[in-house]
């Protein structure tokens, strides 16, 4: 075994080159060489593999790699995790058995990579882990708790629009006596959305999740409804906007073409992309209404502006689109306030945004 452990930056660079070139064997060789040089599995997972995965997402957002490259690189990184996890028995550590937990993604959440990292770290720490993967329907998650009586459910979410589904999962698991530890970008950098939804804990990363479990999560005893955590939902604005989503998107598309003549020259693909972008906008507005937090909406608009600008998309139609949407929300005081906050945030930024041509 080598006595010189290479720095994380060196291994990250080597793994990045391997995944970008599509070389699964080279990628696995990088982490195996790290093991031989004295790296621990957990550190490789979190300080090397996770760091490269974060770079994959950043490079896609900056339009420096394609969607196909991003998918291929992620798939290789997942197989790297498998190679680390499935070592021969003689080479695996034998940690103490701490208990049994369920690690899963919110219903609708396809970004399973963070949850997989958490699952493998917990296994290394001695937990028996039931890893359910992406977009687990809440009824099936609860049925699994009846079958296993987990010590905790670790719920992962990356996209804020899944927060209402996360809330349903949290309250349903707690109703059968299983505490929920939330994690992922969807719950906010400081975990404020996890707290708002009544989760029993929040962790910023896999090490934090392990520490929270080791500290212990008490079994919940109270049964709650959504409005117990979020009393503003009684105004029904969230529900009505969700029900009206298709109508809102159609109306904004129709009026946007009248006010933005360039749209008349769009081909079918561009029109489809524009409709997709508007669906995302309405979905994030609905989520902002659910959480009663305008920042959910304005943060999404800011991120979208960066992505679209990186792709060279024209930028001056989104303000018009938001004006049209505001006209449709005259009877929704909170929704109207959030749309105006989004428009104000965009007008104060350096970059303009457009609703066309690039899915967000």
């Amino acid at each position: 075994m080598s006595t010189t452990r290479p720095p994380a930056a060196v291994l990250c660079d080597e793994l990045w080159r391997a995944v970008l070139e599509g070389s699964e064997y080279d990628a696995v060789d990088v982490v195996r060489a790290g093991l031989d040089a004295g790296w621990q599995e957990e550190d490789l997972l979190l300080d090397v593999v996770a760091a490269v995965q974060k770079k994959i997402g950043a490079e896609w957002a900056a339009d420096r790699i394609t969607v196909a490259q991003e998918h291929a690189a992620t798939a290789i990184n997942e197989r790297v995790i498998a190679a680390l996890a499935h070592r021969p028995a003689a080479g695996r550590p034998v940690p103490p058995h701490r208990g049994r937990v369920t690690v899963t993604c919110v219903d609708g959440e396809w970004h399973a990579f963070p949850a997989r990292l958490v699952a493998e770290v917990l296994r290394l720490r001695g937990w028996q882990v039931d890893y359910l993967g992406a977009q687990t329907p809440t009824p099936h998650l609860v049925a699994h708790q009846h079958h296993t009586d987990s010590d905790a459910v670790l719920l992962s979410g990356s996209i804020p629009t899944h927060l209402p589904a996360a809330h349903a999962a949290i309250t349903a698991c707690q109703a059968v006596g299983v505490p929920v530890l939330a994690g992922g970008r969807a719950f906010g950098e400081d975990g404020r959305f996890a707290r708002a939804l009544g989760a029993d804990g929040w962790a910023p990363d896999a090490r934090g999740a392990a520490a929270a479990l080791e500290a212990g999560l008490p079994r919940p005893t109270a049964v709650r409804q959504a409005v117990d955590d979020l009393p503003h939902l009684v105004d029904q604005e969230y529900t009505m906007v969700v029900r009206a989503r298709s109508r809102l998107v159609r109306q904004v598309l129709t009026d946007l073409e009248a006010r933005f003549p360039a749209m008349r020259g769009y081909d079918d693909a561009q029109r489809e992309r524009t409709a997709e972008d508007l669906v995302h906008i309405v979905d994030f507005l609905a989520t902002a209404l659910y959480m009663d937090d305008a920042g959910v909406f304005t943060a999404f608009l800011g991120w979208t502006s960066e992505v679209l600008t990186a792709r060279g998309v024209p930028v001056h139609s989104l303000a018009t689109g938001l004006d049209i949407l505001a006209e449709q929300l005259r009877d929704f005081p909170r929704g109207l306030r959030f749309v105006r906050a989004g428009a104000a945030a965009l007008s104060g930024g350096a970059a303009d945004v457009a609703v066309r041509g690039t899915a967000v």
Side-chain angles (χ1 to χ4, degrees):
M1 178 180 292
S2 171
T3 58
T4 303
R5 181 176 127 158
V10 172
L11 292 180
C12 286
D13 288 344
E14 293 175 354
L15 183 58
W16 169 251
R17 286 195 296 271
V19 299
L20 196 61
E21 293 169 1
S23 178
E24 177 181 341
Y25 294 111
D26 288 345
V28 171
D29 285 345
V30 170
V31 296
R32 285 179 174 166
L35 286 173
D36 292 341
W39 276 79
Q40 298 299 308
E41 290 95 333
E42 180 177 313
D43 295 335
L44 282 170
L45 285 169
L46 300 182
D47 299 333
V48 177
V49 179
V52 169
Q53 188 64 28
K54 182 178 181 180
K55 183 174 182 178
I56 291 169
E59 292 297 290
W60 170 82
D63 201 30
R64 289 190 286 265
I65 63 174
T66 66
V67 171
Q69 286 176 305
E70 183 269 330
H71 285 190
T74 298
I76 291 174
N77 247 358
E78 288 173 344
R79 291 193 284 273
V80 168
I81 293 176
L84 280 172
H86 300 155
R87 297 173 63 195
R92 292 199 302 263
V94 184
H97 179 64
R98 297 182 182 275
R100 185 172 187 174
V101 296
T102 300
V103 177
T104 189
C105 292
V106 178
D107 193 4
E109 178 63 69
W110 281 101
H111 297 82
F113 195 92
R116 178 69 189 279
L117 283 173
V118 170
E120 297 306 333
V121 167
L122 294 182
R123 286 192 180 110
L124 290 169
R125 298 271 187 119
W127 293 89
Q128 179 182 347
V129 179
D130 299 318
Y131 173 63
L132 306 188
Q135 59 160 15
T136 303
T138 295
H140 295 280
L141 174 59
V142 172
H144 186 72
Q145 302 317 299
H146 284 297
H147 178 69
T148 62
D149 190 29
S150 298
D151 293 299
V153 167
L154 286 86
L155 189 66
S156 176
S158 296
I159 309 299
T161 50
H162 299 140
L163 286 172
H167 198 190
I170 290 167
T171 56
C173 289
Q174 291 170 336
V176 298
V178 180
V180 179
L181 180 66
R185 291 193 305 272
F187 294 100
E189 292 183 359
D190 57 356
R192 67 187 187 279
F193 297 142
R195 292 189 290 274
L197 299 181
D200 298 283
W202 168 80
D205 51 32
R207 291 187 177 103
L213 288 177
E214 290 163 14
L217 294 173
R219 294 274 182 173
T221 56
V223 177
R224 306 188 320 281
Q225 303 298 320
V227 293
D228 295 328
D229 297 321
L230 305 173
H232 55 268
L233 292 177
V234 297
D235 68 11
Q236 295 292 304
E237 285 200 31
Y238 163 74
T239 301
M240 289 186 284
V241 167
V242 169
R243 291 176 178 173
R245 182 177 73 165
S246 296
R247 178 184 61 79
L248 288 170
V249 171
R250 286 196 302 270
Q251 190 62 55
V252 174
L253 275 173
T254 299
D255 291 357
L256 190 59
E257 183 168 346
R259 301 188 198 183
F260 185 61
M263 270 194 66
R264 298 167 194 167
Y266 283 7
D267 58 26
D268 289 343
Q270 288 174 311
R271 288 178 180 276
E272 183 176 351
R273 288 290 185 85
T274 301
E276 291 173 354
D277 290 348
L278 288 171
V279 167
H280 288 305
I281 288 169
V282 174
D283 283 348
F284 270 86
L285 174 62
T287 304
L289 289 169
Y290 192 88
M291 302 305 301
D292 196 31
D293 191 320
V296 173
F297 188 58
T298 57
F300 167 72
L301 292 177
W303 177 84
T304 302
S305 70
E306 294 175 0
V307 171
L308 295 179
T309 300
R311 284 154 175 74
V313 177
V315 295
H316 50 282
S317 65
L318 182 55
T320 302
L322 291 177
D323 286 344
I324 297 168
L325 183 58
E327 292 168 5
Q328 302 302 311
L329 297 173
R330 289 188 299 270
D331 298 326
F332 298 80
R334 286 198 300 129
L336 184 59
R337 185 169 72 250
F338 291 172
V339 171
R340 287 174 173 168
L346 286 174
S347 67
D352 297 317
V353 191
V355 184
R356 75 172 285 268
T358 299
V360 291

